[in-house]
Amino acid sequence: VRLWTGADGKAQGSLRNAGDFLRVVFSPDSAHLLISSNDRMARILEVPSGREIAVLRGHEDTVLMARFSRDGK
């Protein structure tokens, strides 16, 4: 996954994952990304650093969908 700024189209960075990304969702404030994948985990990363701040483990199968609540929690 590659990230660009919306205002000027400059590249901000890229993200890699052990599994395939299936869904990538920005938080309401665009400060975080929530990523679901076929490695049975979901991850929350900071934008634009790409630093992983949480891994949601324990799913028994591929995580097809992920989303933030409206308040971003």
Side-chain angles (χ1 to χ4, degrees):
V1 171
R2 293 177 192 240
L3 300 173
W4 290 270
T5 58
D8 58 14
K10 289 185 180 179
Q12 285 190 297
S14 62
L15 307 171
R16 297 186 187 278
N17 189 42
D20 292 330
F21 291 131
L22 298 177
R23 185 167 177 103
V24 180
V25 181
F26 279 97
S27 62
D29 64 2
S30 297
H32 298 93
L33 286 175
L34 176 56
I35 299 169
S36 66
S37 65
N38 67 353
D39 64 0
R40 299 183 300 168
M41 290 185 248
R43 293 171 169 77
I44 300 174
L45 295 96
E46 284 183 333
V47 175
S49 71
R51 184 176 72 91
E52 189 173 86
I53 60 171
V55 178
L56 309 171
R57 302 175 194 276
H59 305 309
E60 294 181 10
D61 204 347
T62 298
V63 181
L64 297 173
M65 294 286 290
R67 67 185 335 171
F68 284 95
S69 62
R70 289 183 185 185
D71 64 5
K73 295 183 179 178

